Amino acid sequence: MTHDMLTAAVAAVRARLGEVRPRIGVVTGSGLGGIADAIARARHVPYGDIPGFPVARVAGHEGRLAVGELGGRTVACLCGRSHLYEGLEMPRLRLPLRTLRGLGCEAVVLVSTVGSINPDIAAGRLMAVRDHINLTGVNPLTGPNAAAVGPRFPSLVDAYDPRLRRVAQRAAARLGLPLAEGVMAHHPGPSFETPAEIRAYRLLGGDVVGMSMAVETVIARHCGLDVLGIAAVTNMGAGMSASGPSHEETLAGAAALKDDVGRLLRATLEDWDHAT
Ligand code: HPA
């Protein structure tokens, strides 16, 4: 059963961590897994060693949990994520974030590459996510509810924690790094959007489009994790630039943004407990 799967995953990771107790989770996507290289005294647990964990198979997505120190906090970084479009059963899709919670994390920083659908947010920028629109037609909590994990009908008001967003904004200002704010439209993928879909998502109120964050935020909020969403704009949406989008463009954009994301993440963690 689902809950046994979670207990087994948490126990397997704990056995590898000894006394280390992560407090903040991080999830990184395409080409951004290198952020975890900055984690000090890291212990690594390959996903294949954690029972039930989906093993990421998309090129550019690693598959390991890295636990150690970053920005003065003990973090647990999921380097590599699974996506709805991989067709996993929901309990397995939900497992990695629930494992972070089970390990004692109180919050998670979701980092995702995205395409911009707002002409004012150029490729190469970072954006703090204020809210999302789940366009996948699927809710990751579909199925029996594990009452021990979270409520049947979780609220998604302020799903992206306003205080954490202010902390990130202050950290960005300290670094002199512009940080936009806006709404994430979650496209199901794996095909990129059509130009008509991009125009439609813009009309609906989206600023960027991605394929992971809304689903992860629903899972995270359900199990009680506070969420900070950081979107790394690797490209303009379909029809908004002469080329692309393509996975290659996304990976190249991620490589160019990796250092900025790493600096912002570290500075945000340093400021994490500041009242704002
Ligand atoms: N669309 C969806 N997801 C993405 C994109 C995009 O243009 N770029 C990076 N992730």
Side-chain angles (χ1 to χ4, degrees), residues 115-119 192-202 209 235-246 249:
S116 173
I117 58 179
N118 178 345
F192 283 103
E193 307 72 28
T194 64
E197 284 168 339
I198 290 295
R199 290 193 295 275
Y201 296 173
R202 180 74 189 133
V209 64
N235 58 279
M236 297 308 288
M240 294 177 73
S241 73
S243 68
S246 66
E249 187 183 18

Side-chain angles (χ1 to χ4, degrees), residues 24-51:
I24 300 164
V26 179
V27 184
T28 64
S30 314
L32 292 171
I35 289 169
D37 295 345
I39 295 176
R41 287 181 292 285
R43 290 162 191 240
H44 300 277
V45 188
Y47 290 170
D49 292 355
I50 311 174

Side-chain angles (χ1 to χ4, degrees), residues 27 81-84 93-94 97 108 110-114 129-141 154-156 159-160 183-188 208-222 227-231:
V27 184
R81 51 162 53 101
S82 291
H83 304 80
L84 201 58
L93 185 72
R94 295 188 290 244
L97 283 160
V108 66
L110 303 175
V111 184
S112 175
T113 59
V114 298
V129 179
R130 191 191 321 120
D131 203 346
H132 75 226
I133 306 172
N134 180 358
L135 293 153
T136 66
V138 176
N139 191 299
L141 303 177
S155 166
L156 292 178
Y160 299 84
V183 172
M184 164 78 71
H186 186 138
H187 176 77
V208 297
V209 64
M211 300 183 193
S212 58
M213 198 178 287
V215 162
E216 289 176 347
T217 295
V218 171
I219 298 167
R221 291 302 302 134
H222 172 255
V227 174
L228 172 64
I230 300 292

